[in-house]
Amino acid sequence: NEKSFGERSIPSYKFSEAKLIVGVGCDFLGTWVSPVDFASDYAKGRKVSKEKPTMSRHIQIESSLTITGASADSRVVVKPSEEATALADLYNAINGGAASNPKIGKVAQELLAKKGASIVVSGSNDENVQLLTNAINAALGNYGSTISFSSSYNTKLGSEKSASALLEGLKTGAYKGIVVY
């Protein structure tokens, strides 16, 4: 997010307001970022009432069954090594290219039909995969509607770069008066 938007934070995801949710290797109901909050919000979007006659649709692209995948309306099963490729395929199809996987092409069509009212999330720790996920959400106009930086998750604010610099400083003696054992 810092590279994409200059924001070193995790945005809020409004699952209850999304008409289409696509998770790529992301167990957002079980283990990802804030599953208790996400499960509660997701459930609101899945309730049908007189006032809200439709519920959100959920597609999960993953390699092994997760809590989130078990709750999905549709699952696209890929190998673990293919999750990033599936996301790249999705990006290409959303931006006018052709998807090499017909199932991913269908997901892209559904996302394009729900521009500004969808969410795409990835559970990958690969920075490039997250940049691609951000680009997909930006192309779909999801920022400012279903995804927002106005209230963000302030977890894991530590910086590997800062921690490494501190450790190096301690080793080289740049930080006087601190003893490293």
Side-chain angles (χ1 to χ4, degrees):
N1 291 325
E2 186 173 26
K3 281 190 176 179
S4 295
F5 310 108
E7 295 275 343
R8 194 169 183 281
S9 63
I10 300 169
S12 60
Y13 296 92
K14 302 172 188 173
F15 289 101
S16 63
E17 296 178 25
K19 292 180 180 171
L20 178 60
I21 301 161
V22 176
V24 182
C26 185
D27 189 12
F28 61 86
L29 298 176
T31 60
W32 189 67
V33 182
S34 186
V36 173
D37 289 338
F38 294 157
S40 172
D41 199 39
Y42 175 83
K44 289 176 192 169
R46 305 285 285 175
K47 276 195 176 137
V48 176
S49 66
K50 245 184 209 182
E51 299 79 29
K52 190 177 165 285
T54 60
M55 70 177 191
S56 63
R57 178 156 161 69
H58 173 196
I59 302 168
Q60 190 72 6
I61 302 168
E62 61 186 3
S63 55
S64 59
L65 185 62
T66 62
I67 291 170
T68 304
S71 299
D73 298 305
S74 177
R75 273 182 82 235
V76 177
V77 180
V78 295
K79 295 176 186 171
S81 61
E82 295 173 337
E83 284 181 358
T85 303
L87 201 59
D89 212 16
L90 189 61
Y91 174 82
N92 288 334
I94 285 169
N95 287 291
S100 60
N101 180 330
K103 290 179 182 177
I104 301 298
K106 249 184 107 173
V107 174
Q109 289 173 349
E110 286 192 53
L111 282 165
L112 287 167
K114 304 286 189 225
K115 276 187 157 191
S118 61
I119 293 177
V120 178
V121 290
S122 169
S124 176
N125 288 329
D126 183 326
E127 182 179 304
N128 293 316
V129 170
Q130 291 300 332
L131 289 168
L132 195 55
T133 304
N134 290 348
I136 290 170
N137 281 306
L140 293 169
N142 294 334
Y143 290 100
S145 62
T146 56
I147 304 172
S148 174
F149 282 100
S150 64
S151 64
S152 57
Y153 288 93
N154 295 316
T155 60
K156 301 179 181 166
L157 292 177
S159 164
E160 285 185 38
K161 197 182 280 185
S162 296
S164 293
L166 172 64
L167 187 57
E168 189 57 36
L170 292 172
K171 285 180 183 175
T172 62
Y175 297 102
K176 306 246 183 246
I178 298 174
V179 180
V180 179
Y181 296 95

